[in-house]
């Protein structure tokens, strides 16, 4: 389930963006705009968490003076 849920969410969002491109309806466009806004927020948080994780792992290796 760890892999399936993110794949399903990605598929649904991707299909919605494709539908939004081919069906220029005001309701679909407003939903697509809202989803894009949420996607930007999620991406920003993932950048912060990813950077913190890399710094934590690299910091531990530097502290222990490990190679690579």
């Amino acid at each position: 389930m760890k892999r399936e849920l993110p794949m399903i969410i990605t598929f649904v969002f991707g299909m919605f963006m494709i539908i939004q491109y081919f069906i220029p309806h005001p309701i679909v466009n407003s939903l697509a705009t809202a989803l894009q806004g949420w996607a930007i927020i999620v991406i920003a948080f993932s950048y912060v968490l990813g950077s913190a994780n890399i710094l934590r792992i690299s910091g531990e290796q530097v502290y222990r003076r490990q190679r690579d």
Side-chain angles (χ1 to χ4, degrees), residues 11-27:
F11 178 76
V12 169
F13 275 78
M15 289 304 296
F16 190 77
M17 291 300 141
I18 290 172
I19 290 169
Q20 181 262 337
Y21 180 76
F22 288 109
I23 303 174
H25 194 272
I27 294 174

Side-chain angles (χ1 to χ4, degrees), residues 19-64:
I19 290 169
Q20 181 262 337
Y21 180 76
F22 288 109
I23 303 174
H25 194 272
I27 294 174
V28 175
N29 285 337
S30 66
L31 287 173
T33 303
L35 288 177
Q36 288 173 350
W38 279 103
I40 290 170
I41 293 169
V42 170
I43 290 168
F45 277 112
S46 66
Y47 280 156
V48 170
L49 289 175
S51 299
N53 188 36
I54 288 174
L55 288 174
R56 183 183 61 86
I57 291 171
S58 297
E60 287 178 4
Q61 289 178 349
V62 168
Y63 181 73
R64 294 179 186 172

